[in-house]
């Protein structure tokens, strides 16, 4: 089955760190660019970061310098290292695949990150 | 970074036609932004409707269509159904590996 399964969310303090993981299955993981997209429940979608097949990452300005996206193609796993956490990093983090045409075609169910003191 | 604008809310009667738009705070939306559209109902993951401006994703009814209207991307629903009541998001590819989502439009069908 083609799917993405996120893990690693929870409750964290401002200034803290965490690493999200996304296990991919059912497709050739290394062929695709992968993303993290955040959503506060009941609010809109926010693009966070992308990694290409070779591991090069790009970031939204709001997370640049604090978050690092990476992938392990041998393990079919995507990661997001989140440092210097802020309250505004709170949200449901989706692992998402883009297809040719630069669109998001496969979404995980998300993992919830809450940053609060 | 650039802000992508969408109408916060819209209402359409069953069977009616509605066009939701996706604009840029600075500049015009073009096919080079690869506009894509997503439908999301509460508690569910987004569903891809349209990509590359006007290509319907597999299984999407043909009452959904995408286009560029003036300087904005557009999603038109022709013959709206009650099940179309959802949140709709557009996404634009800004180049250099950067994407931006619009704030979303809450569509009411009544």
């Amino acid at each position: 089955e083609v799917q993405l399964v996120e893990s690693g969310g929870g409750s964290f303090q401002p200034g803290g760190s965490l690493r999200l993981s996304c296990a991919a299955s059912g497709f050739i993981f290394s062929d695709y660019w992968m993303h993290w997209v955040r959503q506060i429940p009941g609010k809109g979608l926010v693009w966070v970061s992308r990694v290409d097949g070779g591991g090069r990452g790009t970031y939204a300005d709001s997370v640049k310098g604090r978050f690092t996206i990476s992938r392990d193609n041998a393990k079919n796993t995507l990661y997001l290292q989140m440092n210097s956490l802020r309250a505004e990093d709170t949200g449901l983090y989706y692992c998402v695949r883009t297809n040719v045409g630069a669109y998001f075609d496969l979404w995980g169910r998300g993992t919830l990150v809450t940053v609060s003191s | 970074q650039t802000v992508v604008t969408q109408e916060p809310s819209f209402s359409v009667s069953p069977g009616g036609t509605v066009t939701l738009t996706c604009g840029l705070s600075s500049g015009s939306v073009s096919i080079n932004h690869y506009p894509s559209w997503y439908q999301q109902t509460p508690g569910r993951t987004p569903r891809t409707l349209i990509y590359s401006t006007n290509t319907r994703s597999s299984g999407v009814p043909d009452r959904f269509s995408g286009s560029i209207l003036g300087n904005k991307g557009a999603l038109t629903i022709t013959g709206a159904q009650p099940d179309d009541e959802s949140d709709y998001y557009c996404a634009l590819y800004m180049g250099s590996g950067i994407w931006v989502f619009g704030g979303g439009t809450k569509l009411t069908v009544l």
Side-chain angles (χ1 to χ4, degrees):
Chain A
E1 181 185 0
V2 176
Q3 65 176 356
L4 300 168
V5 179
E6 304 92 336
S7 60
S11 294
F12 303 88
Q13 297 226 330
S17 297
L18 74 141
R19 188 176 79 161
L20 301 181
S21 299
C22 169
S25 58
F27 63 97
I28 302 173
F29 180 68
S30 58
D31 282 355
Y32 293 86
W33 291 4
M34 298 297 298
H35 304 246
W36 291 98
V37 174
R38 178 177 70 233
Q39 184 172 38
I40 296 173
K43 301 294 185 183
L45 299 168
V46 177
W47 178 81
V48 173
S49 182
R50 175 229 70 172
V51 63
D52 65 17
R56 287 171 292 274
T58 52
Y59 304 91
D61 284 349
S62 60
V63 306
K64 201 175 295 183
R66 300 188 299 121
F67 290 9
T68 302
I69 192 170
S70 62
R71 65 192 299 162
D72 185 332
N73 289 334
K75 295 182 178 180
N76 292 335
T77 303
L78 173 71
Y79 302 102
L80 185 67
Q81 178 67 41
M82 305 169 65
N83 297 332
S84 303
L85 289 169
R86 304 170 180 170
E88 55 263 36
D89 297 325
T90 292
L92 185 65
Y93 281 74
Y94 291 108
C95 170
V96 193
R97 184 181 78 175
T98 40
N99 211 323
V100 173
Y103 72 103
F104 303 99
D105 75 327
L106 179 65
W107 298 69
R109 297 183 66 84
T111 185
L112 184 62
V113 172
T114 303
V115 181
S116 172
S117 54
Chain B
Q1 273 177 331
T2 301
V3 174
V4 175
T5 60
Q6 295 185 247
E7 299 86 358
S9 63
F10 231 118
S11 183
V12 62
S13 300
T17 297
V18 63
T19 297
L20 312 182
T21 67
C22 177
L24 284 170
S25 57
S26 176
S28 299
V29 174
S30 76
I31 61 172
N32 295 318
H33 290 104
Y34 298 91
S36 54
W37 292 88
Y38 306 86
Q39 178 191 50
Q40 188 180 34
T41 53
R44 303 197 68 172
T45 59
R47 169 197 183 197
T48 308
L49 295 176
I50 300 287
Y51 62 93
S52 296
T53 304
N54 57 13
T55 303
R56 268 189 301 278
S57 188
S58 177
V60 174
D62 60 7
R63 65 177 181 273
F64 293 92
S65 62
S67 63
I68 300 288
L69 287 181
N71 63 348
K72 295 183 178 182
L75 172 71
T76 300
I77 307 173
T78 304
Q81 303 295 310
D83 283 351
D84 297 337
E85 185 161 297
S86 299
D87 295 325
Y88 291 85
Y89 297 93
C90 70
L92 300 178
Y93 178 56
M94 306 307 295
S96 301
I98 302 293
W99 277 258
V100 183
F101 282 97
T105 297
K106 183 177 184 62
L107 180 68
T108 301
V109 181
L110 55 77

